[in-house]
Amino acid sequence: MIKPLLTILLSVITLTIQAQTFCEKITKLKHECYGFTPKSLSLAQREAKSAQLDKFWDLAKSNKKEAALCLKNLILAENNDSYFCFDASSLLLSLDETKEYQSVVLEGVKKSNLEDLDLQPYVQLSFFLGKKGNDISALAEKLLSYPNAHVSLTQHAITLNAIDASLFLYNTMSAVKAEKSLFNIIANGNSTGKHNAVVVLNMISTPKGDSLVNRLIQNKELPDSVSNFILKDKQDFNIKTACKNVITRADALQKLNASSYDENFICEAANALKPEDIEAVREARFKTTPGLSDEGLSRYFTLTALLITMRNK
């Protein structure tokens, strides 16, 4: 009995040493590869650094299970290297076959500095986490508070500002959660975040949100440019309902989930639907953005116009 137990014990010790050795390799390579800010590098330096980071990623991919555990600990322990936190979180997500590390990825992305990043992968990663049910309020707030943010969706050849890009993130949340996040920015955020959040809150279109937006405008607590922008949105999204064609309520409800809408849809649907159908419109809007695309954003805007029109009847 002693020999088999000794064999098992030695096997456990060996595996532990191997795991520690692998993590030590990753930790050593981390210190060699990271500790920089991308914006401080020249083009040639960035290309050289990219080759270094490929080695780090390749090493991690060679032992996904041990690498994931090691990255988890490195991400949670890191408080200074914001670029590492984002890059390692992206890597961890790609290695996480069990989906058990999403909370760690979220914490890593929270530590990122948007000045160091291309915002497209930041929004993509944030959107993915939101779709998986994680609370990405802090990530959306970070984006809305970043001055002059531009997010290029290269596959769709469009560039979004912070407001439009954030709509994808907030559309992964319930209206209540989105409202809470936006209220927090308005109360505690920087001027960029506050002004952007009021515009988004108007788009979310909830009674509580509308009340705050209207009060801020009436009390002149916003710059005239922001107030005028919101007032124009309110006008543009409130569609006249004097269309000739009539559709049934059942047809209108069915068309809510269509892949596209004709030019008379908002008018026809607003006339056919009842106040109790507003939540059905919200639910349909929630489904308009399964991914990041200009088509999804267009459908989102259409149903937002329908929502605002119905709520103003």
Side-chain angles (χ1 to χ4, degrees):
M1 288 296 293
I2 294 177
K3 187 174 182 180
L5 288 174
L6 183 59
T7 302
I8 293 172
L9 180 60
L10 289 173
S11 298
V12 171
I13 294 173
T14 300
L15 288 172
T16 301
I17 292 174
Q18 288 175 344
Q20 290 173 339
T21 301
F22 186 76
C23 191
E24 286 172 358
K25 288 180 180 179
I26 288 182
T27 303
K28 181 175 182 295
L29 198 54
K30 168 191 180 285
H31 293 311
E32 294 174 3
C33 295
Y34 292 93
F36 68 97
T37 54
K39 66 179 181 180
S40 68
L41 303 181
S42 66
L43 179 60
Q45 289 173 324
R46 289 188 183 191
E47 291 176 351
K49 182 59 69 175
S50 180
Q52 270 192 315
L53 298 184
D54 285 344
K55 292 181 180 179
F56 183 84
W57 279 57
D58 289 342
L59 175 61
K61 290 176 182 178
S62 70
N63 189 339
K64 293 183 178 181
K65 184 177 180 181
E66 297 300 338
L69 180 59
C70 186
L71 287 170
K72 169 191 173 182
N73 294 328
L74 290 174
I75 291 168
L76 294 179
E78 183 60 61
N79 293 312
N80 297 313
D81 192 341
S82 61
Y83 185 75
F84 168 78
C85 288
F86 180 81
D87 201 49
S89 294
S90 302
L91 173 56
L92 178 56
L93 189 63
S94 73
L95 301 177
D96 186 14
E97 296 175 343
T98 63
K99 311 303 179 187
E100 64 179 297
Y101 292 111
Q102 286 185 14
S103 61
V104 178
V105 172
L106 179 62
E107 291 305 310
V109 180
K110 285 180 182 178
K111 296 179 182 181
S112 62
N113 183 347
L114 297 193
E115 290 186 4
D116 297 334
L117 304 179
D118 175 354
L119 294 184
Q120 179 179 350
Y122 175 85
V123 171
Q124 287 175 325
L125 184 49
S126 300
F127 180 77
F128 175 85
L129 291 171
K131 278 293 189 182
K132 294 299 181 181
N134 297 281
D135 182 1
I136 60 166
S137 298
L139 307 186
E141 291 168 20
K142 187 189 291 280
L143 177 64
L144 272 185
S145 302
Y146 185 59
N148 302 314
H150 292 91
V151 182
S152 297
L153 300 184
T154 52
Q155 289 184 330
H156 300 272
I158 60 170
T159 299
L160 305 175
N161 58 32
I163 291 171
D164 289 349
S166 74
L167 292 175
F168 286 104
L169 305 188
Y170 282 111
N171 205 37
T172 67
M173 311 176 197
S174 68
V176 173
K177 284 186 177 180
E179 196 178 63
K180 181 180 179 181
S181 171
L182 294 165
F183 273 48
N184 180 55
I185 304 175
I186 293 168
N188 304 306
N190 61 19
S191 60
T192 297
K194 178 178 180 178
H195 300 159
N196 287 341
V198 177
V199 175
V200 175
L201 186 60
N202 181 60
M203 298 283 288
I204 298 297
S205 189
T206 63
K208 189 176 177 181
D210 287 352
S211 178
L212 176 58
V213 171
N214 292 335
R215 179 175 62 77
L216 292 172
I217 293 175
Q218 290 168 3
N219 293 346
K220 298 188 180 300
E221 296 180 48
L222 300 171
D224 289 344
S225 59
V226 177
S227 295
N228 291 336
F229 186 92
I230 294 170
L231 291 172
K232 187 175 185 305
D233 264 1
K234 286 179 177 290
Q235 182 178 19
D236 291 346
F237 280 95
N238 190 12
I239 307 301
K240 293 181 180 179
T241 55
C243 46
K244 295 180 180 179
N245 194 30
V246 176
I247 62 174
T248 66
R249 180 188 180 204
D251 286 341
L253 288 170
Q254 185 177 14
K255 288 183 178 182
L256 288 178
N257 294 303
S259 58
S260 62
Y261 309 104
D262 62 48
E263 60 182 356
N264 295 316
F265 168 73
I266 300 173
C267 176
E268 294 168 354
N271 285 331
L273 295 174
K274 298 182 177 182
E276 55 263 37
D277 296 322
I278 284 178
E279 288 309 310
V281 177
R282 288 195 190 281
E283 182 61 30
R285 187 175 67 168
F286 182 76
K287 298 175 183 177
T288 58
T289 54
L292 304 177
S293 72
D294 52 338
E295 296 86 359
L297 191 60
S298 177
R299 292 195 296 274
Y300 178 93
F301 284 143
T302 297
L303 292 185
T304 297
L306 175 58
L307 184 62
I308 291 175
T309 301
M310 290 178 63
R311 294 187 61 239
N312 282 287
K313 284 178 64 177

